[in-house]
Amino acid sequence: MTEDNETVEWRHSLSAVVSAIAGAGLRIRFLHEHDYTFYLQRQSLERHDGEVYRHREGAPRIPLTYSIRAEKA
């Protein structure tokens, strides 16, 4: 027997996220882009260190995820 899992996802541009944070009156402390992701976003990625996915060696390093920290202004 197979189990059907439903997922719901929203794609928000980085500018929309940053604008929403600023609009809420928060101050951004940092914004870091990362060249890895924790799930297989596209078939061109390879698993590294058993935990993350990255582009193949030699491929351009483009951001796949980011971390952001904000605090009350």
Side-chain angles (χ1 to χ4, degrees):
M1 175 182 270
T2 63
E3 186 177 317
D4 293 328
N5 293 319
E6 181 180 342
T7 63
V8 178
E9 299 177 20
W10 289 271
R11 292 184 185 237
H12 301 288
S13 67
L14 184 55
S15 63
V17 172
V18 169
S19 295
I21 290 170
L26 300 173
R27 179 175 45 178
I28 295 173
R29 300 299 295 171
F30 66 75
L31 170 62
H32 299 161
E33 294 178 316
H34 309 286
D35 67 347
Y36 60 85
T37 182
F38 294 103
Y39 63 96
L40 188 61
Q41 291 179 346
R42 49 185 67 104
Q43 294 301 317
S44 62
L45 300 178
E46 295 179 337
R47 193 174 194 124
H48 289 263
D49 303 325
E51 296 183 10
V52 299
Y53 294 89
R54 288 191 163 101
H55 287 284
R56 290 184 172 95
E57 188 68 34
R61 289 305 195 217
I62 59 170
L64 296 170
T65 57
Y66 63 90
S67 55
I68 190 167
R69 182 176 182 162
E71 61 186 24
K72 290 182 181 180

